[in-house]
Amino acid sequence: MTEPTTPGAKTRATRRRERITQPLAALSLPQQRALLALARYRYLTVGQMVDAGIAKAPSHIRSDVLAPLCKRQVDNLVQAHEFPRFSTTGRIPRVYSLTKLGAEVVAEIERRDVSEILYPVGGVQFSKDFEHRSAYIDACIAFDAWIAADDRRECMEMRHEFDKTGSNRGSGAHRMRSVCRVDLPSHHYIIPDGLLFFDTGTKQRAVALEIHNFPDTKRVARQLLGHHEALETDAYPKAFGIETAGRVLSISSSAALAKRVMDRLMETPGFPESRSFQLIAFNCLENVKQDFGNGWVLADKSPARIFE
């Protein structure tokens, strides 16, 4: 069905073309929300933008929110990355991120120094890690929704493993490293997928976030046991300058995987009696996306009341 062609009427394609080619004089509220969300999570698909509250309809986000920001000839605020089709996984959704100019606009909106606004300078480069990183960002979006659901809650800081500090040419403390790297007393270090520092409304928490979508439960268990020293020394809260017990949140891609990981850990000699047993909580991504604060259990399936 075509649009009417009454004198002076503009077709939908004409209006869309004008939005892209005309100077971007002002940002709509959904466009501002999109830029701020990209600054917080770095990479988003359209589906994740819906989850993050940018707008309700994916078609609206694509045509009215993103198109004027990323399909311009020069001054794009957003960059879009189209992955090639992979025969084993099918088509990967288009991923959006900020450009340098987009980071500058976010700095103006938030009245912050532009150096504080991070964006992927080299573009999107994680096709082999897409499912893992997408699940991680899903969890971060769900966490923010949980925070926003209660005025008493507050997120003080969120760090992503894929954000870096320092430079390739630096040395020592100035060498490029993940912002999630936590140095340990043994002179080793650990890099979780994410670090969260927040207030539940009754107490402050500092937690490491780990996403598991790999079916090898031995490998997952070994990774979680690698947090032992960090938990014993409260390295995660110390990274944020607070004195409390740290936690590790293990989020599996399915409830079945989470159960297998917990069972393997409970069979690991010494784990049920360790401090790590009390400080590692488990959940699956589906539950987390519905309500980040519910469904957490310890490895023996007993409730882990870390969000109370």
Side-chain angles (χ1 to χ4, degrees):
M1 181 176 180
T2 59
E3 294 185 351
T5 56
T6 56
K10 295 181 180 179
T11 66
R12 185 178 303 171
T14 299
R15 293 194 298 270
R16 185 180 299 115
R17 186 163 54 250
E18 287 180 349
R19 288 197 301 270
I20 294 173
T21 57
Q22 290 178 353
L24 193 61
L27 296 172
S28 67
L29 287 178
Q31 287 174 332
Q32 292 183 46
R33 289 196 291 265
L35 294 176
L36 293 174
L38 288 170
R40 183 159 181 78
Y41 307 117
R42 311 294 184 257
Y43 311 95
L44 290 171
T45 64
V46 168
Q48 288 173 328
M49 290 186 186
V50 172
D51 293 339
I54 308 306
K56 294 182 178 180
S59 58
H60 172 54
I61 292 177
R62 291 188 184 93
S63 62
D64 300 321
V65 178
L66 291 173
L69 299 179
C70 69
K71 291 187 176 181
R72 315 181 69 78
Q73 291 185 341
V74 284
D75 54 348
N76 284 324
L77 304 186
V78 172
Q79 54 186 325
H81 183 84
E82 189 83 47
F83 292 103
R85 181 183 292 274
F86 294 94
S87 59
T88 57
T89 59
R91 182 174 296 280
I92 297 177
R94 185 180 291 115
V95 173
Y96 297 88
S97 58
L98 289 178
T99 63
K100 181 177 184 294
L101 180 58
E104 293 172 357
V105 171
V106 169
E108 291 181 13
I109 294 173
E110 296 195 320
R111 297 183 179 181
R112 296 165 59 189
D113 190 277
V114 69
S115 64
E116 299 176 12
I117 311 301
L118 301 180
Y119 68 99
V121 177
V124 179
Q125 301 174 356
F126 58 89
S127 61
K128 294 182 179 179
D129 193 39
F130 175 81
E131 290 185 4
H132 180 271
R133 187 166 298 189
S134 181
Y136 168 75
I137 294 172
D138 283 342
C140 290
I141 293 171
F143 168 77
D144 278 341
W146 176 78
I147 290 287
D150 191 327
D151 290 338
R152 297 172 301 170
R153 299 171 187 153
E154 181 184 2
C155 176
M156 278 79 82
E157 193 170 345
M158 175 186 287
R159 301 181 190 176
H160 309 305
E161 175 275 329
F162 44 76
D163 286 337
K164 302 296 188 289
T165 185
S167 66
N168 283 328
R169 297 183 179 181
S171 60
H174 301 289
R175 187 172 181 82
M176 182 173 287
R177 54 189 282 172
S178 169
V179 298
C180 283
R181 170 170 163 161
V182 175
D183 294 317
L184 302 173
S186 64
H187 303 296
H188 292 86
Y189 64 86
I190 190 167
I191 306 176
D193 290 329
L195 288 171
L196 303 174
F197 174 33
F198 59 97
D199 195 318
T200 67
T202 59
K203 61 189 70 175
Q204 291 186 340
R205 295 289 196 197
V207 305
L209 191 63
E210 293 285 14
I211 302 296
H212 305 297
N213 64 334
F214 193 75
D216 186 345
T217 56
K218 181 178 180 180
R219 173 178 167 181
V220 174
R222 184 169 60 247
Q223 181 193 38
L224 291 172
L225 292 171
H227 289 271
H228 179 74
E229 183 180 358
L231 293 173
E232 285 285 337
T233 60
D234 294 323
Y236 300 130
K238 288 178 181 177
F240 295 103
I242 62 173
E243 295 292 334
T244 185
R247 299 289 195 281
V248 173
L249 303 183
S250 169
I251 301 176
S252 295
S253 56
S254 70
L257 175 60
K259 181 181 182 302
R260 292 199 303 271
V261 171
M262 290 186 284
D263 290 344
R264 178 173 281 275
L265 283 172
M266 290 302 295
E267 294 169 358
T268 302
F271 178 78
E273 298 79 35
S274 70
R275 191 166 188 249
S276 293
F277 165 75
Q278 298 291 340
L279 299 178
I280 301 178
F282 301 84
N283 213 331
C284 68
L285 185 60
E286 182 180 358
N287 288 344
V288 164
K289 291 175 68 173
Q290 292 178 359
D291 185 344
F292 192 93
N294 283 328
W296 295 94
V297 296
L298 301 180
D300 65 352
K301 318 299 192 306
S302 63
R305 298 182 173 88
I306 67 170
F307 292 101
E308 296 177 354

